[in-house]
């Protein structure tokens, strides 16, 4: 029998606000333990949490960028569970009235992965286990999160990967999160089930918790798919349970089964008041959104004629794409710039992190200046590329590396004169060429090119040389 | 009435040992507690109608960092913690 895979994702996105969600402690990664804490984020009795205005703004931005409706009234709820990472014994989250609902992310295939809702909540503390003892660092407790919950619309591990990459990219573009997986600023819980091909009835699902690598998430989905199918084929029944993925063995193990599934006793948090928004406020935020990666991709391919492969590289990181956008101002042929970025500039940036940061010495207007010299025919590509390398090393403008005479180009008369001199000075090479050695012409060409200091056009020179020799 | 099994289960979860003779007393006492709390059921509570809930909205804090408490102050309530952390010793 053939099976359909059914996957839903719940993704936690850590917001890059300056402060925590309910107090003014710093939202900072990597501080000394328990140094970004106060009685509010430690849940001491008698303290009163107040929602961070910026978190609401970011949640709306995210919602709009993910094609969601924004609820004009939303509320905070308590999710009750007892664990050392939660000093209040409840997490403040949104359950009954989340801030955004009914959105989607469109995959390259055109398929839409529906988003059920987005809610705001606080992160829990970090637990460190040493020798059986537990150490708790509450710096992360109260860090603002958005949870983006999809419908079970994903039907392969590749789609899950693409969805998550797109979500990551969009969150970075709108500036609400760095989405650094290695720092845990984006994590997801994966719901997996299988059903007979084409069937309407969903199978029993298992949930893999806390995936913080896209590669492992894809592997975990594939592993679970096989495991489910094997159980069903052998006449067994899938047990609904929560799992942990083990990268070392590429397998999953049970964390808890449905029988001891927690009842979170959600209820409205009486410490926090309603969040009431106006349509004007939402529209204002909508107007402040930047162009999103999907829109830029389409523009690059359809309007600029850039290849899809190159366009993917350009939009992947916002810094790169912003750089490109400002470097192409006023240019007719923007491909020169995209080639410079993907070629020469990327070559100087080794890691993905460096590409993402895109900290280079050359400013976009300097690239623009260079490209304009090429476009106007004042500088040939050969010299431009040489100049670019020096520009990238020094941060100096193109005018430092090309002289007035370089930019003047070279006339056909001048080239002819140089060719004639070269033919006179290299009688042997000429003889060799006439006796059939094609290579001999290359030597002549090289010496003329050198004399033009790269300004000449090799094809044109070759043509002139042949003309002289054959005469 | 709360059952004998329920009492034993709660005792087990609370890591309490109950003598055979104590079980029946515990049943009665817990029943009394639950019945006392049941009085609340008689009150007509519709949270939506509580005025405090609807009169205020949008109480926000500005996203500006204020100084947190020093680490030793934070750990004061747990005897100073260990190595800057709250510390939970392994229990067997
Ligand atoms: Zn705090």
């Amino acid at each position: 029998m053939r099976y359909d895979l059914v996957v839903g994702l719940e993704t936690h996105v850590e917001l890059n606000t300056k402060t925590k969600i309910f107090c003014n402690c710093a939202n900072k990664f990597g501080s000394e333990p328990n140094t970004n804490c106060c009685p509010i984020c430690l849940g001491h009795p008698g303290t009163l949490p107040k929602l961070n205005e910026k978190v609401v703004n970011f949640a709306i931005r995210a919602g709009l960028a993910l094609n969601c409706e924004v609820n004009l009234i939303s509320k905070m709820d308590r999710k009750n569970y007892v664990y050392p990472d939660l000093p209040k014994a409840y997490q403040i989250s949104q359950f009954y009235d989340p801030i955004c609902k009914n959105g989607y992310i469109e995959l390259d295939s055109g398929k839409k992965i529906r988003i059920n809702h987005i809610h705001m909540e606080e992160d829990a503390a970090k637990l460190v286990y040493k020798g059986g003892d537990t150490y708790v660092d509450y710096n992360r407790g109260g860090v603002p999160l958005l949870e983006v919950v999809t419908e079970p619309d994903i039907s392969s591990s590749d789609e899950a990967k693409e969805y998550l990459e797109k979500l990551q990219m969009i969150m970075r573009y709108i500036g609400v999160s760095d989405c650094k997986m290695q720092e845990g600023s984006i994590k997801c819980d994966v719901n997996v089930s299988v059903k007979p091909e084409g069937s309407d009835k969903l199978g029993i699902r298992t949930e893999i918790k806390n995936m913080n690598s896209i590669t492992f998430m894809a592997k975990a989905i594939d592993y679970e798919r096989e495991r489910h199918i094997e159980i069903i084929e052998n006449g067994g029944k899938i047990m609904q349970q929560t799992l942990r993925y083990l990268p070392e063995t590429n397998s999953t193990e049970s964390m808890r089964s449905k029988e001891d599934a927690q009842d979170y006793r959600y209820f409205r948090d009486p410490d926090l008041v309603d969040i009431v928004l106006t349509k004007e406020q939402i529209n204002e935020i909508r107007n402040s959104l930047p162009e999103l990666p999907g829109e830029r991709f389409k523009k690059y391919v359809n309007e600029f004629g850039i290849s899809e492969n190159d366009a993917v590289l350009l939009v992947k990181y916002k810094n790169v794409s912003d750089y490109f956008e400002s470097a192409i101002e006023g240019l007719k042929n923007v491909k020169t710039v995209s080639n410079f970025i993907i070629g020469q500039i990327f070559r100087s940036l080794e890691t993905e992190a460096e590409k993402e940061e895109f900290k280079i010495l050359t400013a976009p207007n300097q690239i623009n200046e260079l490209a304009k010299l090429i476009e106007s025919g004042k500088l040939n590509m050969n010299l431009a590329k040489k100049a670019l390398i020096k520009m990238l090393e020094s941060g100096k403008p193109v005018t430092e590396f090309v002289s007035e005479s370089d930019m003047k180009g070279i006339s056909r008369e001048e080239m002819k004169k140089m060719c004639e001199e070269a033919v006179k000075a290299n009688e042997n090479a000429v003889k060799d060429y006439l006796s059939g050695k094609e290579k001999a012409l290359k030597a002549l060409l090289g010496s003329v090119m050198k004399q033009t200091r790269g300004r000449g056009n090799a094809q044109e020179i070759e043509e002139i040389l042949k003309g002289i020799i054959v005469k | 009435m709360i059952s004998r099994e329920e009492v034993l289960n709660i005792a087990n979860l609370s890591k309490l040992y109950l003598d055979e003779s104590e079980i029946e007393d515990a049943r009665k006492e817990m029943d009394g507690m639950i019945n006392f709390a049941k009085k609340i059921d008689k009150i007509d509570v519709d949270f939506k109608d509580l005025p405090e809930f609807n009169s205020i909205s949008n109480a926000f804090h500005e996203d500006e960092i204020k100084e947190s408490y020093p680490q030793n102050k934070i750990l004061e309530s747990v005897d100073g913690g260990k190595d800057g952390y709250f510390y939970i010793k392994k229990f067997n």
Side-chain angles (χ1 to χ4, degrees):
Chain A
M1 181 141 65
R2 293 170 69 93
Y3 294 88
D4 288 337
L5 174 70
V6 180
V7 173
L9 293 181
E10 293 168 19
T11 312
H12 294 92
V13 177
E14 201 174 277
L15 299 178
N16 60 10
T17 52
K18 287 187 213 156
T19 64
K20 293 188 178 181
I21 184 166
F22 298 119
C23 64
N24 292 77
C25 289
N27 166 18
K28 218 163 98 196
F29 180 81
S31 306
E32 285 296 304
N34 299 301
T35 52
N36 302 328
C37 300
C38 73
I40 297 175
C41 53
L42 286 182
H44 284 201
T47 54
L48 194 62
K50 252 187 180 179
L51 182 57
N52 185 341
E53 205 171 14
K54 203 61 177 261
V55 172
V56 177
N57 180 288
F58 279 9
I60 301 169
R61 283 175 83 78
L64 294 173
L66 299 177
N67 310 295
C68 288
E69 299 160 29
V70 178
N71 283 324
L72 294 179
I73 298 178
S74 78
K75 297 166 184 186
M76 305 304 300
D77 301 298
R78 291 185 180 181
K79 178 182 182 177
N80 298 279
Y81 70 92
V82 178
Y83 209 63
D85 64 3
L86 214 52
K88 302 187 292 293
Y90 59 83
Q91 178 192 29
I92 305 176
S93 180
Q94 292 192 296
F95 185 71
Y96 296 106
D97 299 291
I99 189 152
C100 304
K101 61 182 181 195
N102 300 336
Y104 64 87
I105 285 183
E106 191 176 334
L107 303 182
D108 290 340
S109 64
K111 177 173 173 178
K112 284 176 181 167
I113 306 300
R114 288 172 300 159
I115 288 163
N116 176 287
H117 75 269
I118 303 175
H119 68 254
M120 306 178 279
E121 64 184 24
E122 57 179 338
D123 206 346
K126 192 175 104 186
L127 301 179
V128 182
Y129 301 100
K130 260 188 273 180
D133 300 335
T134 307
Y135 294 76
V136 194
D137 174 7
Y138 286 106
N139 284 346
R140 204 181 63 195
V143 160
L145 300 177
L146 291 184
E147 184 169 332
V148 183
V149 181
T150 73
E151 298 288 349
D153 287 349
I154 297 165
S155 40
S156 70
S157 54
D158 281 344
E159 282 185 4
K161 255 166 123 171
E162 192 187 337
Y163 165 85
L164 206 54
E165 277 163 4
K166 290 217 150 69
L167 177 65
Q168 219 174 351
M169 204 159 41
I170 294 167
M171 293 299 112
R172 284 179 181 146
Y173 264 71
I174 61 173
V176 304
S177 174
D178 315 323
C179 289
K180 285 186 184 154
M181 280 210 140
Q182 65 278 16
E183 290 182 9
S185 63
I186 181 165
K187 277 185 287 200
C188 64
D189 299 339
V190 191
N191 287 299
V192 183
S193 68
V194 298
K195 59 183 176 63
E197 195 177 27
S199 159
D200 292 334
K201 214 177 146 241
L202 290 176
I204 295 169
R205 65 190 168 90
T206 52
E207 182 180 14
I208 314 159
K209 281 275 179 197
N210 267 328
M211 300 296 315
N212 59 5
S213 139
I214 294 186
T215 316
F216 288 147
M217 178 203 63
K219 283 188 173 174
I221 291 172
D222 289 335
Y223 173 81
E224 271 303 286
R225 179 182 185 274
E226 294 311 309
R227 195 178 70 84
H228 284 212
I229 292 173
E230 199 179 306
I231 291 173
I232 294 168
E233 296 269 289
N234 290 321
K237 234 185 126 197
I238 310 289
M239 196 166 67
Q240 184 172 342
Q241 57 183 336
T242 307
L243 305 167
R244 170 188 301 126
Y245 176 72
L246 307 168
E248 312 82 45
T249 51
N250 184 32
S251 61
T252 56
E253 71 172 14
S254 181
M255 286 170 80
R256 53 175 186 263
S257 70
K258 172 115 192 292
E259 283 71 59
D260 39 59
Q262 311 214 22
D263 174 4
Y264 292 120
R265 295 176 292 124
Y266 281 102
F267 65 87
R268 174 74 196 285
D269 191 317
D271 283 345
L272 289 149
V273 297
D274 291 3
I275 304 141
V276 181
L277 304 167
T278 63
K279 285 188 178 150
E280 291 71 41
Q281 224 177 330
I282 296 166
N283 277 333
E284 212 173 286
I285 295 175
R286 194 192 302 276
N287 292 335
S288 76
L289 284 180
E291 206 173 9
L292 296 173
E295 294 162 3
R296 280 196 174 167
F297 177 82
K298 282 180 187 157
K299 182 173 78 180
Y300 293 174
V301 174
N302 300 336
E303 288 176 37
F304 297 170
I306 293 171
S307 74
E308 285 192 9
N309 285 343
D310 286 358
V312 165
L313 294 173
L314 287 176
V315 300
K316 186 168 182 191
Y317 300 118
K318 183 165 188 290
N319 287 344
V320 177
S321 182
D322 285 349
Y323 189 100
F324 174 69
E325 295 268 331
S326 84
I328 60 174
E329 245 166 74
L331 289 177
K332 276 186 226 85
N333 184 8
V334 303
K335 272 199 216 165
T336 321
V337 177
S338 83
N339 289 339
F340 282 165
I341 291 177
I342 293 164
Q344 283 78 2
I345 298 180
F346 272 6
R347 221 166 287 147
S348 67
L349 304 167
E350 279 173 24
T351 62
E352 285 298 304
E354 280 174 353
K355 282 179 189 148
E356 183 180 351
E357 244 190 298
F358 209 66
K359 268 201 182 136
I360 58 170
L361 294 173
T362 305
N365 66 316
Q366 295 176 329
I367 296 287
N368 186 263
E369 190 184 5
L370 177 67
K372 276 187 177 148
L373 287 175
I374 301 165
E375 198 163 278
S376 62
K378 284 187 179 153
L379 196 62
N380 74 23
M381 192 53 89
N382 210 351
L383 280 179
K385 280 185 183 163
K386 280 184 188 152
L388 176 59
I389 290 166
K390 289 180 190 148
M391 287 165 70
L392 291 170
E393 281 166 359
S394 65
K396 289 179 181 159
V398 58
T399 44
E400 292 276 322
F401 306 109
V402 293
S403 62
E404 281 298 316
S405 63
D406 286 335
M407 283 187 274
K408 245 189 263 153
I410 189 162
S411 69
R412 194 163 167 104
E413 276 315 302
E414 273 178 274
M415 273 194 275
K416 225 172 166 178
K417 221 171 123 196
M418 287 177 189
C419 289
E420 277 164 359
E421 277 164 21
V423 168
K424 260 185 221 157
N426 295 286
E427 278 176 22
N428 288 338
V430 176
K431 262 186 222 154
D432 287 347
Y433 175 70
L434 287 172
S435 67
K437 285 183 188 159
E438 285 281 332
K439 266 193 190 157
L441 190 71
K442 296 282 174 220
L444 283 172
L445 177 62
S447 84
V448 178
M449 280 297 281
K450 208 168 168 187
Q451 242 190 314
T452 68
R453 278 177 296 124
R455 289 171 298 162
N457 176 311
Q459 242 181 319
E460 206 178 340
I461 294 170
E462 195 174 324
E463 190 190 303
I464 298 171
L465 279 171
K466 278 184 188 165
I468 297 168
I469 295 168
V470 171
K471 243 195 267 168
Chain B
M1 185 84 173
I2 189 163
S3 73
R4 184 188 153 82
E5 286 66 39
E6 281 168 324
V7 169
L8 287 173
N9 191 27
I10 291 164
N12 181 35
L13 289 171
S14 328
K15 303 198 188 302
L16 293 174
Y17 175 76
L18 289 186
D19 243 320
E20 195 55 43
S21 60
E22 291 169 317
I23 297 174
E24 197 52 31
D25 286 344
R27 271 183 78 189
K28 280 181 198 141
E29 279 169 19
M30 289 175 81
D31 233 38
M33 286 180 232
I34 288 166
N35 284 330
F36 175 74
K38 270 186 180 160
K39 283 182 186 168
I40 290 172
D41 289 348
K42 293 196 190 104
I43 306 168
D44 179 23
V45 273
D46 186 349
F47 276 91
K48 286 191 200 98
D49 289 342
L50 289 179
E52 305 89 280
F53 262 62
N54 288 331
S55 60
I56 322 164
S57 62
N58 296 347
F60 297 125
H61 84 252
E62 239 184 284
D63 191 30
E64 290 303 330
I65 297 173
K66 287 184 188 158
E67 211 176 322
S68 294
Y69 279 46
Q71 192 191 54
N72 59 355
K73 195 86 190 152
I74 286 294
L75 293 169
E76 209 173 51
S77 60
V78 288
D79 296 333
K82 197 173 172 188
D83 305 332
Y85 289 88
F86 287 77
Y87 171 65
I88 305 157
K89 211 173 151 50
K90 180 183 183 181
F91 53 88
N92 301 304

